[in-house]
Amino acid sequence: MSDQGNFSIQGYNLVTLLKRLEAATSRLEDVTIFQESKSAAAVVDATAATTSVEPTAPKSTMAPSSAIAAAPRIVSPEVPKSIKEFDNFIKEKIDPYVQLSQEIDGQLGEQAELFKEAIDRERRVLLAASKSKKLNAEDGKFQELVIKPINELIMKIISIKDGNRNSEKFNYLNAVSEGVAVLGWIVVNTPVSYVPEFKDSAQFWTNRILKEVKGSEDEKVGTEWVKTFLSIFDALKDYVKEFHSTGITWGGSQDFEDAIKTGDEEARNGGSC
């Protein structure tokens, strides 16, 4: 892209990170994680022909009834285990963080909502990848469909911190701004080692929060927020270690662009993506 600055976050440039990826040809095989359910077999219910005989009348035979074939049951593709676990990650780690942030402060809540929006976007990327042929991460389509929208959300999160430097919750806003670059894990081929870097960055500010609230009426909620926020990094590290230890896992025959756009459309319509 002509303006690589669009992909800079907190001193990191996602395009530069992409260049650190291994060439697509270096991977010997893709790990297939998407399994399709077997279609249900049509069920045929035939009614047996019956014959009635009268003692004083000529024998007559009833015509056999036609075989009735039940309509085939349409089976939706099974959601891959990796996506189910990502959904659990959102439910158990992201949603509580959003809720608690909203209770503490409006700007902090806005940051959290944007963070979740980026996570939801990554969920659609992972699902689309599970259905698709591998797309090189340096491909322009990948940058446009994956990097750009996530990076835009990251920059919005950082701008909230920059616009509220006099906020009483500035340390909270700063903790999120320093940690949000963790979302870049989706474009690197060593996410297990990438994720902890940004927990460390965030922890500098969460330590300030703990010191700030100690002994105050805000100690309980402040301590709980720190615990909730930092747990995101630990859970994400465990997740990528199990399912995407060398980068996004691909496993299908669809075109990635078509798959991601379908997911975006379903999300806009309020359906499952």
Side-chain angles (χ1 to χ4, degrees):
M1 290 191 172
S2 60
D3 186 6
Q4 293 188 356
N6 288 337
F7 302 115
S8 295
I9 53 173
Q10 296 295 93
Y12 289 80
N13 186 292
L14 291 187
V15 175
T16 301
L17 289 173
L18 285 174
K19 294 182 190 237
R20 292 163 48 196
L21 296 174
E22 297 176 352
T25 54
S26 69
R27 296 186 182 177
L28 299 179
E29 61 182 4
D30 296 330
V31 179
T32 302
I33 61 170
F34 180 75
Q35 298 179 343
E36 296 185 354
S37 302
K38 293 182 179 179
S39 321
V43 178
V44 178
D45 180 20
T47 303
T50 60
T51 303
S52 176
V53 179
E54 294 292 338
T56 59
K59 183 171 63 174
S60 61
T61 305
M62 298 175 62
S65 60
S66 302
I68 303 174
R73 180 169 59 92
I74 299 176
V75 180
S76 299
E78 182 183 352
V79 177
K81 182 180 179 182
S82 62
I83 302 302
K84 292 179 181 178
E85 289 301 317
F86 200 72
D87 288 339
N88 289 336
F89 163 69
I90 293 173
K91 180 180 178 180
E92 295 173 5
K93 300 300 179 180
I94 302 300
D95 288 347
Y97 152 67
V98 173
Q99 182 177 351
L100 191 55
S101 296
Q102 291 171 334
E103 293 173 359
I104 291 174
D105 179 74
Q107 298 300 326
L108 189 62
E110 186 178 350
Q111 269 192 333
E113 289 169 1
L114 290 169
F115 196 104
K116 185 174 190 295
E117 186 177 343
I119 288 288
D120 288 341
R121 177 68 185 182
E122 293 194 341
R123 195 262 191 196
R124 295 200 293 277
V125 169
L126 297 175
L127 180 58
S130 74
K131 302 176 181 179
S132 307
K133 295 176 288 186
K134 185 189 296 185
L135 183 66
N136 192 312
E138 293 184 339
D139 189 288
K141 286 184 179 180
F142 189 90
Q143 294 184 20
E144 184 68 24
L145 297 170
V146 179
I147 298 176
K148 183 178 178 181
I150 293 174
N151 190 68
E152 287 174 349
L153 291 167
I154 289 172
M155 297 308 297
K156 287 180 180 179
I157 289 171
I158 295 171
S159 69
I160 290 174
K161 179 263 297 183
D162 290 339
N164 292 275
R165 293 185 177 276
N166 294 325
S167 170
E168 293 181 356
K169 304 302 180 184
F170 184 67
N171 287 337
Y172 292 77
L173 299 175
N174 233 329
V176 178
S177 294
E178 289 295 322
V180 70
V182 72
L183 296 171
W185 77 266
I186 205 166
V187 302
V188 300
N189 63 346
T190 55
V192 178
S193 60
Y194 177 88
V195 171
E197 294 180 22
F198 297 98
K199 180 183 178 181
D200 291 343
S201 297
Q203 208 156 12
F204 174 83
W205 294 98
T206 58
N207 286 341
R208 287 194 172 191
I209 294 171
L210 294 176
K211 182 178 180 180
E212 175 186 275
V213 301
K214 187 175 182 180
S216 73
E217 60 181 13
D218 294 330
E219 182 173 7
K220 182 177 180 180
V221 68
T223 302
E224 182 63 23
W225 185 89
V226 167
K227 178 181 176 181
T228 300
F229 181 60
L230 293 181
S231 72
I232 292 173
F233 298 86
D234 296 330
L236 182 59
K237 178 184 176 182
D238 291 342
Y239 171 77
V240 298
K241 183 177 181 179
E242 181 173 358
F243 296 104
H244 306 283
S245 60
T246 56
I248 294 178
T249 303
W250 303 77
S253 59
Q254 292 187 28
D255 177 77
F256 177 74
E257 183 175 9
D258 291 340
I260 193 69
K261 287 183 176 179
T262 297
D264 288 345
E265 183 65 27
E266 290 177 351
R268 282 192 293 270
N269 293 333
S272 173
C273 56

